[in-house]
Amino acid sequence: MGNRRIEISSGQIEEQLDICAQIRAMAGEKRLAMVDTYGCQQNEADSEQLRGYLFAMGYGQTSDENQADIVVINTCAVREHAEMRVLGNIGALTHTKKENPDQIIVVCGCMAAEKNIVEKIKKSYGIVDLMFAPSELWRFPELLKTVIEGKRRVFELGGDATVAEGIPHLRTDGVKAWLSVMNGCNNFCTYCIVPYTRFRERSRRPESIIAEARELVSQGYREITLLGQNVNSYGNDLDCGVSFAQLIRDIDAIDGDFVIRFMTSHPKDATEELFAAMRDCKKCEKHLHLPLQSGSDRILKAMNRRYDSAKYLGLVDKLREYIPDVVLTTDIIVGFPGETDEDFEDTMRVVERVRYDAMFTFIYSKRAGTPAAAMDDPFTREEKQLHFDRLIEVQNAISEEKHGAYIGKTERVLIDGRDREKGVLTGRTIGGRLVRVPADDSLIGHFAGVEITDCNTWALRGKLV
Ligand code: 5AD
Ligand code: SF4
């Protein structure tokens, strides 16, 4: 399931846009849509397409579910905790639907590709009208029309690895844009649900990506983040001779003042060709998010990660030869089935050796249908929590030290928004570190020189120079 690459034709997307126009004509008065997004940046990017379609259907946007005529919940399946939150929030919509029985409730995203969740929703969440997997997003208008006209529930699990061009996007940020370059995953890490929800890897054609990047730059976007579950394997499935490194070079060559970011990279596809492109391209961020997951060779094998700690450390050394002050961040899973104290100590050793700038840490979450779900998992949640707390404590100290080294330096920062603190703006360095800086709103969307004066574990603080 999910193996077949299917390119959706421009004619098919035109048909969907025609359906949007029909829905727009059918509804007499002004209606509002709420799109609620969970999970990763890929989901954020998908929500921009959902909003693009909704806009074409004549819906305005709201963030209040009581006002919404349609609520779209774009879900994440990567950990159980997120799923429970989503189910709780869907349940809470019972009240809004009682007030407004015509309200349409849509559940999409990765949970909508999980059979057990779809069954649960069918049976116990009668308020949900439409559910479709990520691969079916391109035909959201058609599915919604069936619900509206037929007054019946629609469930679409999908089955093909679709690639679609031409779905409208509704981007609202103005400074930062997501640009999805590929979708899906071929790696089958044993803990991960993504290959089952997003199907096999498929890359968009480079011409389409470069045209979209050009358009974003001409619209004034200052930061373009290239997205893929496995972004650096971009192009492996196409016979077009454009690797991810080449794609970075091609986007870097577009005229304009902007920064290129990308995520997430798998160590197995992190090549010297990529490191060289990162070094050579002025607009490319000097940052690599390189998930380690574990520092234990035994656990890495059980995770099917296709590298061991020596190979990973070799990559880090090589990258630092190319870009000595590169910012490195990572993901680590604590408490994978059977992870012992010794395995955890191996992870700690790698963490202390690499000295990441920042880390995202997760306690292993069992995902039905993945190989790891069937593995013996003898350790308790409390035992795992002790490891988790220790890892965070050590990493926080490292992050703070690394941030401390910025003090006194002047960084080029893209100012991208307002901080919660009044009169303070937020921005990112070329390495992607968060910077807070007291400044006037007019600087949003501009690059500024910022002298770093202070820091904590999560962010830098500075003043304009
Ligand atoms: N349990 C815990 N963490 C997970 N991740 C992916 N699947 C699981 C799981 N089953 C983490 C990985 C990945 C990040 C996006 O989420 O660290 O890199
Ligand atoms: Fe969550 Fe992964 Fe799906 Fe993103 S791709 S929404 S992280 S399960």
Side-chain angles (χ1 to χ4, degrees):
M1 172 121 152
N3 289 321
R4 211 150 57 110
R5 176 189 172 107
I6 297 283
E7 296 206 12
I8 307 303
S9 69
S10 55
Q12 286 173 292
I13 298 298
E14 286 299 323
E15 278 171 28
Q16 297 299 319
L17 291 170
D18 283 347
I19 297 174
C20 289
Q22 292 164 24
I23 293 177
R24 191 187 185 121
M26 261 157 33
E29 59 206 292
K30 199 154 172 48
R31 291 153 308 141
L32 293 175
M34 172 174 139
V35 180
D36 199 7
T37 312
Y38 295 78
C40 64
Q41 287 82 2
Q42 186 70 50
N43 257 21
E44 297 285 344
D46 287 352
S47 283
E48 292 179 345
Q49 297 194 324
L50 292 164
R51 289 197 180 95
Y53 269 146
L54 286 162
F55 181 77
M57 294 175 205
Y59 285 97
Q61 304 285 323
T62 176
S63 53
D64 178 358
E65 65 264 32
N66 296 301
Q67 303 235 322
D69 299 285
I70 180 168
V71 179
V72 182
I73 307 181
N74 192 6
T75 64
C76 172
V78 84
R79 281 173 293 274
E80 191 182 12
H81 179 73
E83 288 198 344
M84 297 322 267
R85 244 178 75 216
V86 167
L87 290 175
N89 290 350
I90 298 174
L93 292 172
T94 312
H95 305 292
T96 61
K97 192 141 178 167
K98 209 179 226 160
E99 292 295 310
N100 176 8
D102 288 334
Q103 187 176 55
I104 296 172
I105 297 178
V106 181
V107 176
C108 57
C110 287
M111 281 171 73
E114 287 185 287
K115 276 204 189 71
N116 57 333
I117 296 284
V118 175
E119 285 313 312
K120 193 176 197 144
I121 299 266
K122 264 189 193 165
K123 222 168 84 200
S124 316
Y125 293 77
I127 56 166
V128 173
D129 301 290
L130 167 60
M131 207 166 170
F132 60 87
S135 62
E136 305 307 300
L137 190 156
W138 68 274
R139 57 195 195 101
F140 169 42
E142 163 200 336
L143 298 171
L144 184 61
K145 188 174 172 226
T146 309
V147 171
I148 296 173
E149 286 185 341
K151 299 249 180 266
R152 65 181 177 88
R153 306 174 80 197
V154 173
F155 295 86
E156 190 52 81
L157 262 170
D160 289 317
T162 59
V163 202
E165 294 295 340
I167 301 178
H169 282 255
L170 191 66
R171 292 185 168 100
T172 47
D173 183 274
V175 181
K176 298 183 287 184
W178 308 120
L179 204 178
S180 174
V181 303
M182 52 102 61
N183 208 329
C185 184
N186 291 354
N187 291 336
F188 289 94
C189 299
T190 55
Y191 50 81
C192 188
I193 193 88
V194 172
Y196 308 92
T197 63
R198 295 236 174 215
F199 303 154
R200 292 304 69 71
E201 285 173 8
R202 60 276 192 201
S203 303
R204 292 175 61 196
R205 307 254 163 219
E207 318 79 79
S208 312
I209 297 169
I210 291 161
E212 190 172 342
R214 247 186 241 292
E215 166 127 17
L216 289 168
V217 173
S218 73
Q219 288 168 349
Y221 281 92
R222 298 292 191 162
E223 177 181 292
I224 297 179
T225 303
L226 309 177
L227 294 179
Q229 270 81 34
N230 212 5
V231 75
N232 54 341
S233 71
Y234 172 81
N236 291 350
D237 59 317
L238 290 178
D239 207 8
C240 66
V242 178
S243 62
F244 185 59
Q246 186 57 45
L247 189 68
I248 291 181
R249 288 184 189 272
D250 290 348
I251 297 175
D252 184 69
I254 298 173
D255 272 343
D257 199 8
F258 64 98
V259 52
I260 304 166
R261 304 195 187 280
F262 59 96
M263 67 184 346
T264 293
S265 306
H266 191 293
K268 86 173 181 8
D269 298 306
T271 56
E272 279 193 57
E273 191 201 355
L274 172 65
F275 302 161
M278 289 172 68
R279 176 199 58 196
D280 297 345
C281 294
K282 276 225 161 54
K283 292 166 189 149
C284 183
E285 65 170 345
K286 307 301 175 229
H287 164 221
L288 189 65
H289 183 67
L290 197 64
L292 169 69
Q293 311 299 5
S294 168
S296 152
D297 293 341
R298 201 177 68 81
I299 296 294
L300 285 170
K301 201 162 176 28
M303 287 177 161
N304 190 30
R305 289 291 287 174
R306 300 161 214 235
Y307 55 85
D308 57 15
S309 55
K311 176 148 184 246
Y312 185 97
L313 287 168
L315 274 176
V316 169
D317 289 345
K318 188 52 85 186
L319 173 60
R320 284 180 168 153
E321 277 172 29
Y322 277 84
I323 310 170
D325 54 356
V326 69
V327 170
L328 262 169
T329 57
T330 201
D331 292 342
I332 289 183
I333 298 177
V334 173
F336 183 83
E339 184 184 71
T340 61
D341 285 346
E342 287 95 78
D343 292 318
F344 178 71
E345 294 309 326
D346 285 346
T347 299
M348 292 297 279
R349 264 194 289 279
V350 176
V351 166
E352 303 210 32
R353 161 87 200 282
V354 175
R355 294 177 57 80
Y356 295 101
D357 296 78
M359 180 187 290
F360 299 90
T361 328
F362 310 99
I363 290 190
Y364 169 74
S365 173
K366 184 173 173 171
R367 307 285 59 216
T370 61
M375 293 180 191
D376 223 17
D377 192 3
F379 297 102
T380 63
R381 170 81 199 196
E382 289 68 32
E383 287 168 310
K384 296 180 181 189
Q385 188 71 44
L386 287 176
H387 285 163
F388 182 83
D389 293 346
R390 217 180 105 213
L391 177 57
I392 291 202
E393 196 184 318
V394 166
Q395 178 56 40
N396 283 353
I398 296 174
S399 293
E400 198 164 338
E401 265 179 55
K402 293 209 96 170
H403 279 167
Y406 284 85
I407 293 177
K409 291 191 179 152
T410 295
E411 292 282 317
R412 185 167 191 256
V413 173
L414 172 62
I415 307 289
D416 57 18
R418 282 187 206 94
D419 192 43
R420 271 196 303 252
E421 190 181 331
K422 209 167 174 283
V424 176
L425 301 183
T426 57
R428 299 254 168 202
T429 65
I430 189 80
R433 305 316 299 142
L434 175 65
V435 184
R436 299 200 169 89
V437 52
D440 185 85
D441 279 3
S442 62
L443 261 189
I444 295 174
H446 296 273
F447 288 93
V450 177
E451 185 190 325
I452 307 302
T453 53
D454 199 3
C455 73
N456 61 25
T457 309
W458 298 278
L460 307 169
R461 196 179 172 96
K463 58 176 190 223
L464 293 174
V465 292

Coordinates of all heavy atoms in Angstrom, one line a residue, residues 38-40 42-43 75-78 110 193-194 197-198 229, ligand 2:
Y38 N -1.8 20.2 13.8 CA -1.0 19.6 14.8 C 0.3 19.0 14.1 O 0.2 18.9 12.8 CB -1.7 18.4 15.4 CG -2.9 18.8 16.2 CD1 -4.1 19.1 15.6 CD2 -2.8 18.9 17.6 CE1 -5.2 19.5 16.3 CE2 -3.9 19.3 18.4 CZ -5.1 19.6 17.7 OH -6.2 20.0 18.4
G39 N 1.3 18.8 14.8 CA 2.5 18.0 14.3 C 3.5 18.9 13.6 O 3.8 20.0 14.0
C40 N 4.0 18.4 12.5 CA 5.3 18.9 11.9 C 5.0 20.0 10.9 O 3.9 20.3 10.6 CB 6.0 17.8 11.2 SG 5.1 17.1 9.8
Q42 N 5.5 19.9 7.8 CA 4.8 19.4 6.6 C 3.3 19.6 6.7 O 2.6 19.9 5.8 CB 5.1 17.9 6.4 CG 4.6 17.3 5.1 CD 5.4 17.8 3.9 OE1 6.6 17.8 3.9 NE2 4.6 18.2 2.9
N43 N 2.8 19.3 7.9 CA 1.4 19.5 8.2 C 1.0 21.0 8.1 O -0.1 21.3 7.6 CB 1.0 19.0 9.6 CG 0.3 17.7 9.5 OD1 0.5 17.0 8.5 ND2 -0.4 17.3 10.6
T75 N -4.3 16.4 11.6 CA -3.7 15.7 12.7 C -2.3 15.1 12.5 O -1.9 15.0 11.4 CB -4.6 14.5 13.1 OG1 -4.6 13.6 11.9 CG2 -6.1 15.0 13.3
C76 N -1.7 14.8 13.6 CA -0.4 14.2 13.7 C -0.5 12.8 14.4 O -1.2 12.7 15.4 CB 0.6 15.1 14.4 SG 2.2 14.3 14.7
A77 N 0.2 11.8 13.9 CA 0.1 10.5 14.4 C 1.4 10.0 15.0 O 1.5 8.9 15.5 CB -0.3 9.5 13.3
V78 N 2.4 10.9 15.1 CA 3.8 10.4 15.4 C 3.9 9.9 16.8 O 4.7 9.0 17.1 CB 4.8 11.5 15.0 CG1 5.0 12.5 16.1 CG2 6.1 10.9 14.6
C110 N -2.2 12.8 9.3 CA -1.7 11.4 9.5 C -2.6 10.5 10.2 O -2.6 9.3 9.9 CB -0.3 11.5 10.1 SG 0.9 12.1 8.9
I193 N 5.6 5.7 12.4 CA 4.3 5.5 11.7 C 4.3 6.2 10.3 O 3.5 5.8 9.5 CB 3.1 6.1 12.6 CG1 1.7 5.7 12.1 CG2 3.2 7.6 12.7 CD1 1.3 4.4 12.7
V194 N 5.2 7.1 10.1 CA 5.1 8.0 8.9 C 5.1 7.2 7.6 O 4.3 7.5 6.7 CB 6.2 9.0 8.9 CG1 6.3 9.8 7.6 CG2 6.0 10.0 10.1
T197 N 1.6 6.4 7.0 CA 0.6 7.4 6.8 C 0.8 8.3 5.6 O -0.1 8.9 5.0 CB 0.5 8.4 8.1 OG1 1.8 9.0 8.2 CG2 0.2 7.6 9.3
R198 N 2.1 8.4 5.2 CA 2.5 9.3 4.1 C 3.0 8.6 2.9 O 3.4 9.2 1.9 CB 3.5 10.3 4.6 CG 3.0 11.3 5.7 CD 3.2 12.7 5.3 NE 2.6 13.6 6.2 CZ 2.0 14.7 5.9 NH1 1.9 15.1 4.6 NH2 1.4 15.5 6.8
Q229 N 9.9 14.8 4.7 CA 10.1 13.9 5.8 C 11.5 13.5 5.8 O 12.1 13.1 6.8 CB 9.2 12.7 5.7 CG 7.9 12.8 6.4 CD 6.9 13.5 5.5 OE1 6.9 13.4 4.3 NE2 6.0 14.3 6.1
Ligands
SF4_2 FE1 3.2 13.9 12.5 FE2 5.0 12.7 11.0 FE3 2.6 13.1 10.0 FE4 4.2 15.1 10.4 S1 4.5 13.4 9.0 S2 2.1 15.1 10.9 S3 5.3 14.5 12.3 S4 3.1 11.8 11.8

